Amino acid sequence: MPRTTSSRARVAAAAVGVLAAAMSLSATGGAFAAGSGGVTDNGVIYADHALWRTVASPTDLSHTGAPAQSWDVIYNFGGLQASVADAAPGDPDFNGGRWQVHAVSAPNGYAAALASGDLDHDGVLDAADEVWAALAAGDLVDHGVVKQFVCTMNRVPASRTH
């Protein structure tokens, strides 16, 4: 039975989705291979408008079945900038360093993501609310969870906060 135009469109859309996911995984692969717990290749991430150092952990918590509320999220930009965590030690909702890494990309370019998300105009997305603003504007796309692991965070001493 021949495929209809709409079924061809669905197949094409699914193929584009799979390709985008594969590209996002390959873009983040360098960060995972760098030995920094899958966060960044230089061992620092942003959270709450401050820089934090990470300590690598060989843990893999994929497929544990843990409930969604037991995780915090790290947004990995695939090399565009340091990753951004949605919580940090001292935050009331911090889950103790259990992370789901989400790959994000900037389909309209990094400058567009900054224009829509850099709420404090400091030239970088350095807090979850800024990532969420760029996601809401469509200037960042969340490709979903690419890794689940445990990683500590230690504030970089000279790092600023709001």
Side-chain angles (χ1 to χ4, degrees), residues 97-124:
R98 289 177 304 281
W99 302 102
Q100 287 187 334
V101 179
H102 286 236
V104 295
S105 63
N108 304 320
Y110 183 66
L114 283 178
S116 62
D118 186 12
L119 304 176
D120 60 2
H121 308 290
D122 64 353
V124 68

Side-chain angles (χ1 to χ4, degrees), residues 9-147:
R10 282 193 303 272
V11 169
V16 168
V18 168
L19 178 60
M23 289 174 62
S24 72
L25 283 173
S26 70
T28 60
F32 294 131
S36 62
V39 181
T40 67
D41 56 0
N42 62 3
V44 296
I45 63 175
Y46 289 107
D48 302 333
H49 304 282
L51 270 176
W52 297 76
R53 292 228 182 268
T54 62
V55 176
S57 168
T59 58
D60 179 5
L61 302 178
S62 302
H63 313 293
T64 61
Q69 68 271 19
S70 68
W71 301 97
D72 290 314
V73 174
I74 295 176
Y75 297 97
N76 181 286
F77 289 76
L80 292 175
Q81 70 158 61
S83 296
V84 176
D86 72 349
D91 290 350
D93 59 345
F94 181 63
N95 285 306
R98 289 177 304 281
W99 302 102
Q100 287 187 334
V101 179
H102 286 236
V104 295
S105 63
N108 304 320
Y110 183 66
L114 283 178
S116 62
D118 186 12
L119 304 176
D120 60 2
H121 308 290
D122 64 353
V124 68
L125 303 176
D126 57 4
D129 62 337
E130 293 185 336
V131 172
W132 299 333
L135 285 166
D139 292 321
L140 282 181
V141 173
D142 185 339
H143 298 286
V145 178
V146 295
K147 186 165 177 118

